[in-house]
Amino acid sequence: MAVINQKKSKVSDEVPTASMADIAFLLLVFFLVTTVFPKDKGLEVVLPEQGEEIAVSQNNILHLIIRTDGIVEVKRGESTSIQQMRPDDIEALWRNEVTANPNLIAAVKTHPDAPHRFMIDVLDSLQLAGAERISLQMLEDI
Amino acid sequence: MSIRGGGLDRKSKASSEIPNSSMADIAFLLLIFFMVSTVFRNDKERPITWAAAAATEKIDEKAKNILNIWVERDGSIWINDMNYPMEEVSDVVAPLYARSERHLVISIRGDRETPYSFMDAIQKELVSAGVVRVVFATELERQMTRARR
């Protein structure tokens, strides 16, 4: 009996520290899981520098006029013929056009009242088609 | 002492467990390391609906070099939790751009329904501030949903 008493007092004389590590890891995992990393993603464009204006031949411009209803009017250079299409069809159009003329520039002109997402749709299609020479403008002569 | 095998028994008891009291210290060291190394954003999210695009790419720039410009549906502009009128955007962005040694990337976070006239005005302001790299923040659109649209 004396032996058992001695053993009991030995067990209880320190705070159990083995579970402290578990608590700390629980905290660690909690903070790791609840940390939300912001979504820094999007469509990158390079803005022109101030006063940078390059004269471009009308033959090298593909006008994409975005209407308020999201329909895109495609006009080649100075020709007056207008082709209407959906933003998704721009991707195939650009691939066709750029093989015919590698110097082509996409001039995206958006109606001031058109929602932002229609411009994003067109920009998306152009970037999917690998277009790099894109000019973003607002439609001025309505 | 004399009852339980005279000292030898005690010695073996001391070495029978791995000391785990320092494990908590290691865990706290890790915890503190991760808390310190986590960079928190300096602006709160504005209530906007994201535009979706399939060509969405991650911005290849450090988080501290990305400035968010929030454009809400009504055209109000928020930079670093402050509301600014359109004309002041270039005055706000230009010093930040100079301080970042021209590494700053502007993330334009426009609501999908914002009229384009506001987005155009923002771009003109950024051009006059000398900013070159601009990202239109979008959500990644899966090709599947794109095909259905």
Side-chain angles (χ1 to χ4, degrees):
Chain A
M1 284 303 274
V3 175
I4 295 163
N5 276 338
Q6 203 187 358
K7 223 181 155 185
K8 241 184 202 165
S9 67
K10 254 189 191 168
V11 169
S12 61
D13 82 320
E14 40 179 86
V15 179
T17 51
S19 61
M20 200 192 266
D22 297 337
I23 297 165
F25 274 115
L26 202 84
L27 276 169
L28 179 70
V29 170
F30 173 76
F31 279 108
L32 280 171
V33 168
T34 54
T35 304
V36 180
F37 284 97
K39 33 188 170 189
D40 281 323
K41 50 189 192 296
L43 303 174
E44 183 156 355
V45 290
V46 177
L47 293 184
E49 281 182 42
Q50 200 162 19
E52 184 189 84
E53 278 181 30
I54 311 160
V56 182
S57 157
Q58 280 290 324
N59 297 327
N60 291 340
I61 300 180
L62 183 71
H63 295 279
L64 301 166
I65 296 151
I66 303 168
R67 302 195 319 209
T68 49
D69 56 358
I71 300 293
V72 183
E73 291 176 356
V74 180
K75 201 156 71 85
R76 285 170 191 80
E78 280 173 327
S79 76
T80 49
S81 68
I82 288 171
Q83 202 182 338
Q84 293 188 358
M85 53 175 68
R86 295 187 308 130
D88 289 359
D89 303 328
I90 301 285
E91 187 184 344
L93 172 93
W94 179 262
R95 283 188 201 280
N96 286 335
E97 294 286 330
V98 87
T99 44
N101 182 0
N103 294 323
L104 202 65
I105 290 174
V108 180
K109 293 182 181 175
T110 315
H111 191 281
D113 295 328
H116 174 52
R117 66 186 158 103
F118 291 140
M119 192 280 286
I120 291 289
D121 286 343
V122 173
L123 190 62
D124 185 21
S125 295
L126 285 171
Q127 293 204 348
L128 280 177
E132 281 171 3
R133 292 149 66 99
I134 303 167
S135 161
L136 298 175
Q137 299 157 24
M138 190 165 67
L139 190 63
E140 266 149 15
D141 46 331
I142 304 161
Chain B
M1 294 284 273
S2 57
I3 303 164
R4 312 201 62 202
L8 282 171
D9 198 7
R10 244 181 119 187
K11 240 184 207 166
S12 66
K13 251 190 190 169
S15 60
S16 72
E17 310 183 353
I18 301 164
N20 53 17
S21 59
S22 62
M23 199 190 269
D25 298 335
I26 297 165
F28 276 116
L29 201 85
L30 276 169
L31 180 70
I32 289 166
F33 171 75
F34 279 106
M35 285 176 81
V36 167
S37 62
T38 305
V39 180
F40 283 99
R41 293 216 68 90
N42 51 3
D43 63 341
K44 288 199 191 77
E45 293 217 356
R46 302 295 310 166
I48 62 160
T49 321
W50 298 85
T56 302
E57 284 177 343
K58 286 200 176 113
I59 306 172
D60 183 23
E61 189 60 62
K62 286 180 205 147
K64 64 168 182 155
N65 281 340
I66 297 174
L67 177 71
N68 294 330
I69 297 183
W70 302 84
V71 187
E72 286 182 28
R73 195 172 293 206
D74 58 357
S76 59
I77 290 150
W78 294 79
I79 305 169
N80 288 337
D81 295 335
M82 296 266 280
N83 189 2
Y84 292 102
M86 183 66 81
E87 309 82 59
E88 285 180 20
V89 170
S90 62
D91 301 332
V92 172
V93 172
L96 294 172
Y97 190 63
R99 207 191 302 158
S100 73
E101 293 167 336
R102 300 175 67 82
H103 288 300
L104 198 71
V105 176
I106 307 290
S107 173
I108 301 181
R109 303 187 158 195
D111 192 288
R112 59 202 297 262
E113 301 296 337
T114 309
Y116 190 76
S117 53
F118 294 114
M119 309 307 286
D120 186 72
I122 278 277
Q123 287 174 54
K124 288 204 170 81
E125 287 290 317
L126 292 178
V127 167
S128 67
V131 174
V132 176
R133 287 181 71 192
V134 165
V135 174
F136 290 103
T138 51
E139 270 186 340
L140 183 64
E141 184 184 21
R142 307 262 169 236
Q143 294 284 348
M144 289 288 285
T145 55
R146 190 180 159 80
R148 245 182 277 138
R149 191 174 67 196

